[in-house]
Amino acid sequence: MPLTLTNMDNKESNMSDINQSAAVLTIENLSVGFGRGDDVRTVTEGVSLAIKKGETLALVGESGSGKSVTANSVMKLLPKGSSHYLQGSITFDGIDMLSCSERQLRGIRGGRIGMIFQEPMVSLNPLHKIGKQLVETLAIHRGMRTRKAEQLAIEWLTKVGIREPQQKINAYPHELSGGERQRVMIAMALSNEPELLIADEPTTALDVSVQAQILDLLKELQQELGMAMLFITHDLSIVRRIADRVAVMQQGNLVEVNECKTLFTQPSHPYTKKLIESDPRGLPVEVDSEAKTLLSVDKLKVWFPIKGGLFQRVVDHVKAVTDMNFQLQRGYSIGLVGESGSGKSTTGMAILKLVASEGSIEYDGQSIANLDRKGMLPFRSRMQVVFQDPFSALNPRMSVAQVIGEGLKVHFDHHEATLDDMICDVMREVDLDPETRHRYPNEFSGGQRQRIAIARALILKPEFILLDEPTSSLDRTVQAQVLDLLKTLQIKYGLTYLFISHDLTVVKSLCHHTIVMRNGEIVEHGNTQQMFAQPQHEYTQTLVSLSSV
């Protein structure tokens, strides 16, 4: 009989159900804290869960609720020294995970238990090619020889939707898009055919079409192998599609566990009800139709050379962006949507002069296409960016206050007290506690780190912000708050946004105009509401149907 928790007062009877069930993984009364010495703060308290063979348990809740902490506890991947298992036990196939040796853990990690991490750029080794990393894990856990491992690696890259896998297997992580890196992580986790898969936001960076493919692939492999899956996500539409049961966490506590269908039709806890009702809503802010053009892009082209042969001559090109054209008026928002690797982020980086490009780029009537680093400096405070992967974009050796205030120190000469006041103010604007400003990025959840990145951009009061998947790592409740915040700031400061996303419901809520990209080219563009109501191109129709916007 499956475990059903509708309130935590029933913990003893629920644990009886857990012990009686033939679970692959059992987490019993787990409490975890962070800190050193006597200053240890409890972050998860009394968490009890069980997952059976072949079952998918979705773990949902807002950022900072303890989802990833609980998942990382299973394989003891929390930071050593600052993390403490205060009470409870974790049992995998009869093995006590909290007391087994490091050697035993190495045999289980990546082999019997696979894990897909939330931030692939942190998990992938930047010094090694994708192929080498995939081959290495197959050699370690399955004893495969290099040639056979390479063949299987290419098969898995194909399965997870990587285009031209024979070429991409020789690429470094930084040469792939965010979505492609995420798919590599999925291939790496699944290639060893684990008994348990812990998936921490595995489809966050993927567009809806590839997301559907990956979810179908996970379900197919699960049925084939009888694999259990702990699936962490903030996207309730994914939960509806993939989960057998759902566990809801809030502020480190498990507040409800129930069958998936029952939880969505009859949620018992107020927080669960709040999550279900928190889908992006509303329309873009009202704008002046006569507003002047702030950004103009004409015939933008970004091709990356492929070199080969003894003399490393250019033998081909990766055509990341071809013939991109659009104009963005002051106070407006344009959405760039399309599958991973379609050229969305590359377009944004070219506009900010962070990658080389050809064509015309004009900002506020001035051509910036041919400006060097020194020439771009006056534009840097006016043009800001929020990157897709906040952990890679935040310096781990700097405190949050230093990260947020760094741009002010570069562009302005403020007194330290004034600087601190400004940092506190902008942290409040993005719903972060200013008292945490002296902590470091690794002490925050993925969603909180994204808000730190937004604060760093906002503090300079720019005219233009490139938002590269700024809400992808946020749960729906926080996502709605951030979207409301972006709209409020847009009205207050007349901000102009170029919004890159694969979530069409978010685009519909924020963007006045939408450009759909595929294989580096525009396939359709126009008024957001009209396009989503009556998409003309077949690819746009597919995106809209999968998103249900």
Side-chain angles (χ1 to χ4, degrees), residues 403-414 418-420 422-423 456 459-461:
V403 167
I404 295 174
E406 183 180 22
L408 286 176
K409 287 188 173 182
V410 171
H411 294 285
F412 304 101
D413 186 20
H414 291 300
T418 303
L419 181 64
D420 191 60
M422 294 175 73
I423 292 169
R456 178 175 63 178
I459 199 167
L460 290 169
K461 298 296 187 293

Side-chain angles (χ1 to χ4, degrees), residues 399-402 404-405 420-439 444 448 451-452 454-456 458-459 485:
S399 70
V400 167
Q402 291 172 322
I404 295 174
D420 191 60
D421 288 342
M422 294 175 73
I423 292 169
C424 291
D425 288 343
V426 78
M427 288 185 73
R428 292 188 192 97
E429 280 196 297
V430 298
D431 199 26
L432 287 170
D433 182 2
E435 293 298 316
T436 64
R437 67 189 183 279
H438 300 301
R439 296 182 187 173
F444 293 82
Q448 289 169 326
R451 281 178 272 173
I452 293 168
I454 292 171
R456 178 175 63 178
L458 293 176
I459 199 167
L485 171 65

Side-chain angles (χ1 to χ4, degrees), residues 175-193:
E175 295 178 304
L176 304 180
S177 71
E180 288 172 325
R181 288 194 292 265
Q182 190 68 288
R183 279 178 273 179
V184 169
M185 284 294 302
I186 293 170
M188 196 174 293
L190 295 181
S191 61
N192 287 309
E193 301 180 356

Side-chain angles (χ1 to χ4, degrees), residues 378-396:
F379 293 93
R380 291 299 181 200
S381 64
R382 301 169 65 186
M383 305 171 71
Q384 286 293 296
V385 60
V386 176
F387 291 101
Q388 179 178 351
D389 186 348
F391 196 74
S392 297
L394 303 178
N395 190 329

Side-chain angles (χ1 to χ4, degrees), residues 257-503:
V257 180
N258 219 323
E259 299 292 334
C260 186
K261 184 176 180 181
T262 304
L263 184 130
F264 281 103
T265 55
Q266 298 175 338
S268 63
H269 195 277
Y271 177 68
T272 308
K273 296 176 183 177
K274 181 182 176 183
L275 280 180
I276 293 171
E277 295 169 356
S278 295
D279 282 337
R281 58 193 181 277
L283 296 172
V285 302
E286 292 187 11
V287 289
D288 179 8
S289 60
E290 302 298 322
K292 294 183 178 179
T293 298
L294 179 65
L295 177 68
S296 179
V297 175
D298 186 41
K299 297 181 180 178
L300 183 68
K301 173 182 169 182
V302 183
W303 287 13
F304 297 110
I306 300 172
K307 297 181 179 181
L310 180 63
F311 298 102
Q312 288 294 292
R313 293 191 176 96
V314 176
V315 295
D316 202 353
H317 289 85
V318 175
K319 300 175 182 179
V321 178
T322 301
D323 201 26
M324 169 63 73
N325 302 280
F326 68 87
Q327 290 189 337
L328 179 55
Q329 294 172 275
R330 285 184 178 272
Y332 277 70
S333 301
I334 285 184
L336 275 182
V337 302
E339 62 189 2
S340 170
S342 63
K344 306 185 302 296
S345 295
T346 302
T347 298
M349 295 302 99
I351 290 169
L352 293 178
K353 298 289 292 173
L354 297 178
V355 297
S357 65
E358 298 177 20
S360 171
I361 306 171
E362 289 189 2
Y363 184 83
D364 197 18
Q366 301 178 61
S367 176
I368 63 172
N370 298 316
L371 293 181
D372 57 15
R373 183 177 178 180
K374 183 177 180 181
M376 278 297 298
L377 191 60
F379 293 93
R380 291 299 181 200
S381 64
R382 301 169 65 186
M383 305 171 71
Q384 286 293 296
V385 60
V386 176
F387 291 101
Q388 179 178 351
D389 186 348
F391 196 74
S392 297
L394 303 178
N395 190 329
R397 297 185 178 182
M398 296 172 67
S399 70
V400 167
Q402 291 172 322
V403 167
I404 295 174
E406 183 180 22
L408 286 176
K409 287 188 173 182
V410 171
H411 294 285
F412 304 101
D413 186 20
H414 291 300
H415 189 274
E416 284 296 325
T418 303
L419 181 64
D420 191 60
D421 288 342
M422 294 175 73
I423 292 169
C424 291
D425 288 343
V426 78
M427 288 185 73
R428 292 188 192 97
E429 280 196 297
V430 298
D431 199 26
L432 287 170
D433 182 2
E435 293 298 316
T436 64
R437 67 189 183 279
H438 300 301
R439 296 182 187 173
Y440 290 83
N442 69 308
E443 299 179 69
F444 293 82
S445 69
Q448 289 169 326
R449 288 195 288 264
Q450 193 65 287
R451 281 178 272 173
I452 293 168
I454 292 171
R456 178 175 63 178
L458 293 176
I459 199 167
L460 290 169
K461 298 296 187 293
E463 303 162 319
F464 168 81
I465 301 181
L466 170 65
L467 299 161
D468 191 351
E469 301 277 8
T471 61
S472 64
S473 63
L474 306 181
D475 65 276
R476 285 301 196 191
T477 54
V478 179
Q479 189 179 81
Q481 294 169 14
V482 170
L483 285 174
D484 289 342
L485 171 65
L486 289 173
K487 291 179 184 180
T488 300
L489 293 168
Q490 190 170 29
I491 295 171
K492 185 176 181 180
Y493 300 111
L495 291 174
T496 305
Y497 297 141
L498 181 60
F499 190 87
I500 298 170
S501 181
H502 64 267
D503 190 334

Side-chain angles (χ1 to χ4, degrees), residues 4-53:
T4 301
L5 294 173
T6 52
N7 104 40
M8 293 298 103
D9 294 332
N10 297 332
K11 186 179 291 183
E12 289 186 7
S13 63
N14 289 323
M15 283 315 305
S16 176
D17 289 341
I18 291 175
N19 294 331
Q20 292 172 6
S21 65
V24 174
L25 177 72
T26 302
I27 301 173
E28 187 171 351
N29 200 31
L30 180 68
S31 296
V32 176
F34 285 99
R36 298 184 183 275
D38 297 328
D39 184 23
V40 176
R41 178 174 59 92
T42 302
V43 293
T44 65
E45 189 168 3
V47 175
S48 297
L49 291 170
I51 309 175
K52 295 181 182 179
K53 182 179 180 180

